[in-house]
């Protein structure tokens, strides 16, 4: 997973709303030279109530939508397509133990969605797993994982961490932990936002793939930043816009962000996977599916 700014996946809406009312100074004072200013208890209560009401409305809207990518068969398709781009295979369940340094500045990339030692999500996975299974074979690497977080360093991880990851990935508990973290941080938030935007199963996959690759972040390269840029170019279906037009705009923005960082980057997961499905009009991700990514051809009958 790539990360460019602040992770938002698990931040409650109410907490975010309350934070916006807090003074800006690091010690509780407002920014600048003036006196400190804080929201009144009544204003905070009103903000909390408004946020809770909006969240409830969103929950009701999401619940009213068809299952889309959350349907088990569609979710399986999504993971197969993702695995074709991440690990050149459709057999995603064989990738729990995958681990390598891809030389992209994120340290080790591992597991079913490419958790990385440099972007916090692998550390979070191991921390959460260790709370439930304290005697696991990765727990001893937590101090090193905390030290290298945000860097591409292997200090304290080599030479044993890759083998420890592969060994732990043979256990059903760690496999379940990877899937749970995938859903908590990437899949569930992506599908929820896509449904709120009025997107079908394919659009939900577009968001999921971008969430995995760009991270659930607010910066210009993160998922939420990319979505914000796309909304400036085209209205979402939820805003009355066309689904194909909006998704074209989103893919344009995402592709530009990739190339801005690395002009010779491989963008085939956008160009010959997602744009192919979009231009075929396959907005519900119906099978059969045929695509190419990183020069390899794949087909799901």
């Amino acid at each position: 997973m790539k990360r460019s700014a602040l992770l938002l996946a698990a931040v409650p809406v109410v907490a975010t709303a309350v934070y916006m009312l807090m003074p800006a100074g690091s010690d509780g004072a407002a920014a600048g030279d003036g006196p400190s200013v804080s929201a009144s208890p009544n204003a905070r209560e009103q903000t909390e109530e408004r946020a809770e009401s909006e969240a409830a409305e969103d929950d009701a809207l999401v619940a009213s939508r068809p299952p889309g990518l959350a349907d088990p068969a569609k979710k399986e398709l999504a993971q197969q397509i993702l695995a074709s781009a991440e690990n050149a295979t459709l057999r995603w369940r064989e990738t729990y133990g995958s681990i390598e340094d891809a030389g992209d500045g994120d340290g080790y990339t591992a597991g079913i969605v490419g958790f990385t030692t440099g972007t916090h999500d692998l550390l979070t996975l191991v921390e959460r797993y260790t709370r439930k299974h304290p005697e696991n074979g990765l727990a001893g690497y937590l101090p090193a994982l905390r030290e290298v977080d945000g860097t591409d360093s292997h200090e304290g991880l080599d030479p044993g961490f890759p083998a420890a990851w592969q060994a732990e990935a043979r256990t059903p508990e760690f496999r379940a932990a990877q899937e749970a973290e995938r859903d908590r941080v990437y899949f569930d938030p992506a599908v929820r936002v896509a449904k709120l935007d009025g997107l079908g199963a394919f659009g939900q996959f577009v968001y999921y793939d971008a969430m995995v690759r760009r991270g659930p972040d607010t910066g210009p390269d993160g998922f939420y930043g990319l979505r914000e840029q796309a909304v400036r170019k085209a209205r979402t279906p939820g805003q009355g816009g066309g689904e194909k037009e909006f998704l074209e705009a989103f893919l344009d923005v995402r592709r530009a962000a990739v190339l801005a960082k690395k002009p010779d980057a491989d963008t085939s997961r956008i160009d010959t996977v997602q744009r192919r499905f979009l231009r075929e009009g396959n907005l519900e991700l119906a099978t059969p599916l045929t695509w190419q990514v990183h020069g390899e051809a794949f087909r799901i009958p």
Side-chain angles (χ1 to χ4, degrees):
M1 182 277 285
K2 306 296 181 186
R3 184 180 68 169
S4 58
L6 175 67
L7 293 178
L8 286 182
V11 178
V13 174
V14 173
T16 304
V18 172
Y19 173 80
M20 295 302 290
L21 287 174
M22 294 296 288
S26 61
D27 62 353
D33 296 327
S36 64
V37 177
S38 61
S40 68
N42 186 51
R44 293 189 185 190
E45 288 175 6
Q46 290 176 350
T47 299
E48 288 183 13
E49 290 173 0
R50 185 166 62 252
E52 288 173 350
S53 175
E54 290 173 355
E57 291 175 6
D58 287 350
D59 289 343
L61 180 58
V62 170
S64 73
R65 303 287 194 198
L69 210 64
D71 176 84
K74 295 293 188 188
K75 187 174 183 179
E76 180 70 16
L77 282 178
Q79 201 60 37
Q80 288 177 298
I81 300 167
L82 186 75
S84 73
E86 293 286 330
N87 293 293
T89 183
L90 298 180
R91 300 186 178 114
W92 67 269
R93 290 180 179 84
E94 296 178 1
T95 67
Y96 293 103
S98 66
I99 182 167
E100 66 171 350
D101 189 323
D104 56 4
D106 290 329
Y108 281 121
T109 298
I112 59 172
V113 292
F115 303 102
T116 66
T117 56
T119 61
H120 196 66
D121 60 344
L122 190 148
L123 169 60
T124 301
L125 166 64
V126 176
E127 286 179 333
R128 291 171 65 87
Y129 178 60
T130 299
R131 284 198 288 271
K132 290 185 176 181
H133 305 281
E135 303 302 320
N136 74 81
L138 299 174
Y141 289 97
L142 278 171
L145 288 170
R146 294 182 183 113
E147 285 295 319
V148 304
D149 189 31
T151 77
D152 62 357
S153 173
H154 294 185
E155 186 173 354
L157 299 177
D158 289 342
F161 183 71
W165 178 278
Q166 291 167 344
E168 200 66 31
R170 290 192 283 271
T171 70
E173 293 82 7
F174 191 51
R175 293 183 175 204
Q178 288 193 42
E179 292 187 35
E181 197 68 1
R182 170 201 64 193
D183 291 349
R184 185 185 74 89
V185 178
Y186 302 114
F187 186 84
D188 291 348
V191 171
R192 176 183 174 83
V193 174
K195 287 184 176 182
L196 291 172
D197 281 346
L199 301 174
F202 170 68
Q204 293 163 30
F205 173 76
V206 169
Y207 274 21
Y208 172 49
D209 188 70
M211 187 82 83
V212 168
R213 290 300 297 167
R214 309 309 303 177
D217 315 326
T218 59
D221 293 337
F223 168 76
Y224 291 104
L226 296 178
R227 179 191 168 278
E228 182 179 348
Q229 295 172 58
V231 168
R232 293 195 205 108
K233 294 176 176 289
R235 291 181 299 168
T236 69
Q239 297 169 326
E243 187 166 6
K244 291 182 72 173
E245 291 76 14
F246 174 73
L247 288 172
E248 285 281 9
F250 183 87
L251 293 176
D252 285 345
V253 167
R254 182 179 171 193
R255 188 176 191 275
V258 173
L259 295 177
K261 185 174 181 180
K262 187 179 180 183
D264 61 346
D266 184 332
T267 58
S268 59
R269 70 193 298 149
I270 299 170
D271 301 334
T272 57
V273 183
Q274 295 174 42
R275 283 203 198 276
R276 174 171 182 156
F277 298 158
L278 181 59
R279 290 172 180 174
E280 289 173 348
N282 193 353
L283 297 178
E284 293 306 321
L285 210 60
T287 54
L289 294 169
T290 303
W291 71 95
Q292 288 186 323
V293 62
H294 306 319
E296 293 193 46
F298 294 91
R299 185 175 189 275
I300 296 176

